Amino acid sequence: MIQANNISFSYRRGHKLFSEMDLQLPQGTITGLLGRNGEGKTTLLKLLSGQFFVQSGTLNVLGFDPAKRQVPFLNDLFFLPEEVSCPSISIREYFNIITPFYPKFSYEMAEEAMATFDLDWRMNLSKVSQGQKKKAVIALALSLQTSLLLMDEPTNSLDIPSKSAFRRMLAAHTTNEQTVIISTHQVRDLEQLIDRIVMLEHNQIICNESIARLEELFTFHQITGAAMRAEALYTEPSVLGEVGVFRNTGNEESNFSMELFFDGMIAKRENFTNIIDSNKK
């Protein structure tokens, strides 16, 4: 699905954003692309979609070199930016312009998404809020049914009911043949959907693991005493008291906390990567 080998990219001479970076992603996953501001999440999405070109190394997406921007590649991929810009036309006209380029487009799914997001086909995209525009383009993105869907902060600008609607639609209509990559800071909005994490730190990938595997390696609990605190790989305060991440030593089950895992990887990276690397399969 996605194979990047030793790719490098820079915006200006002498300062590489990515340097000899590798990335492999299987088909049929919903991947959370995580990282602090400036780590290159949006840039990586644009490289995968052929909007930016790698300067060295090789990149294969859907069996194509994105830089060649071949038609079979472009009509099987959709990129949803964080800030959407739409012309002064109705939602129906907007769909009618774009959907002919995407052979897998489902009008039935578009109708369902429009109803789920409480949108009207007659709405003029230049006269609605950013949140309404975002919902319209998300409805488009889901109904195109592309093999690869790239989404940059999709829940930004959405209200709480719209975030719930987005989660329902994505969960209901993503198939095993589709791969979704979601760049987000709002991990709580998407925690129940994401089944894989790719995490960037210092412009390098420091974690590329399935949630299922991370659950085998780590557990997440509230801290109840000094002994428990001493065993934790990472701790932080919460509204319910101190919480921590622990090594899973006995096939223990707990609710995976993507936010707590992310914070732990940033603050105590070696504690986590030692466990991940020593349990490579």
Side-chain angles (χ1 to χ4, degrees), residues 91-92 95-96 99 105-122 135-136 138-145 169 173:
I91 296 177
R92 187 175 297 280
F95 272 59
N96 289 342
T99 57
F105 169 68
S106 168
Y107 183 77
E108 292 75 14
M109 191 181 298
E111 287 279 10
E112 180 183 347
M114 289 289 291
T116 300
F117 286 128
D118 195 26
L119 296 171
D120 188 313
W121 287 107
R122 296 168 295 181
K135 289 191 288 185
I138 289 173
L140 172 69
L142 295 176
S143 62
L144 295 178
Q145 300 189 104
M169 286 294 298
H173 295 292

Side-chain angles (χ1 to χ4, degrees), residues 29-280:
T29 59
I30 301 179
T31 296
L33 180 58
L34 311 180
R36 293 183 285 189
N37 291 335
E39 291 296 344
K41 300 185 298 298
T42 299
T43 299
L44 180 56
L45 295 182
K46 290 184 175 181
L47 289 170
L48 296 177
S49 61
Q51 297 181 49
F52 292 165
F53 305 151
V54 298
Q55 291 156 348
S56 63
T58 59
L59 179 59
N60 186 292
V61 179
L62 300 175
F64 298 92
D65 177 355
K68 294 182 178 179
R69 299 182 59 80
Q70 295 166 276
V71 171
F73 169 74
L74 294 175
N75 65 23
D76 204 17
L77 172 148
F78 188 81
F79 175 82
L80 175 76
E82 179 177 1
E83 296 291 332
V84 297
S85 178
C86 302
S88 181
I89 57 177
S90 70
I91 296 177
R92 187 175 297 280
E93 290 172 310
Y94 185 67
F95 272 59
N96 289 342
I97 290 171
I98 295 174
T99 57
F101 297 99
Y102 293 88
K104 298 178 185 177
F105 169 68
S106 168
Y107 183 77
E108 292 75 14
M109 191 181 298
E111 287 279 10
E112 180 183 347
M114 289 289 291
T116 300
F117 286 128
D118 195 26
L119 296 171
D120 188 313
W121 287 107
R122 296 168 295 181
M123 287 178 172
N124 189 306
L125 287 167
S126 69
K127 298 179 180 179
V128 298
S129 68
Q130 178 65 24
Q132 295 287 77
K133 291 177 186 178
K134 193 73 169 283
K135 289 191 288 185
V137 182
I138 289 173
L140 172 69
L142 295 176
S143 62
L144 295 178
Q145 300 189 104
T146 54
S147 294
L148 180 58
L149 176 57
L150 307 173
M151 312 184 90
D152 195 0
E153 298 288 355
T155 59
N156 280 8
S157 304
L158 299 186
D159 56 25
I160 293 174
S162 298
K163 290 178 181 181
S164 297
F166 170 71
R167 289 192 293 268
R168 291 197 304 272
M169 286 294 298
L170 193 62
H173 295 292
T174 303
T175 70
N176 291 333
E177 287 72 45
Q178 291 178 288
T179 299
V180 182
I181 303 177
I182 303 175
S183 170
T184 184
H185 290 102
Q186 311 298 326
V187 292
R188 292 183 181 179
D189 290 344
L190 302 167
E191 195 164 34
Q192 301 307 312
L193 286 174
I194 290 171
D195 55 29
R196 190 175 193 87
I197 289 176
V198 170
M199 185 172 168
L200 289 167
E201 175 72 355
H202 301 310
N203 306 121
Q204 290 292 319
I205 294 173
I206 63 170
C207 181
N208 180 6
E209 300 290 344
S210 70
I211 297 296
R213 180 156 185 270
L214 293 175
E215 287 177 329
E216 293 176 356
L217 300 177
F218 303 101
T219 59
F220 304 79
H221 298 289
Q222 187 170 354
I223 304 294
T224 58
M228 194 173 183
R229 185 179 300 109
E231 293 179 5
L233 301 167
Y234 170 76
T235 66
E236 65 180 41
S238 76
V239 294
L240 299 176
E242 192 175 15
V243 292
V245 187
F246 299 82
R247 182 169 191 164
N248 191 349
T249 57
N251 296 318
E252 182 183 351
E253 293 186 4
S254 67
N255 292 324
F256 186 84
S257 171
M258 195 174 302
E259 184 174 28
L260 194 55
F261 177 80
F262 175 85
D263 291 343
M265 282 287 288
I266 294 294
K268 302 284 186 179
R269 175 178 166 185
E270 188 174 345
N271 289 353
F272 289 77
T273 54
N274 284 344
I275 292 172
I276 294 171
D277 292 343
S278 65
N279 287 274
K280 288 289 185 184

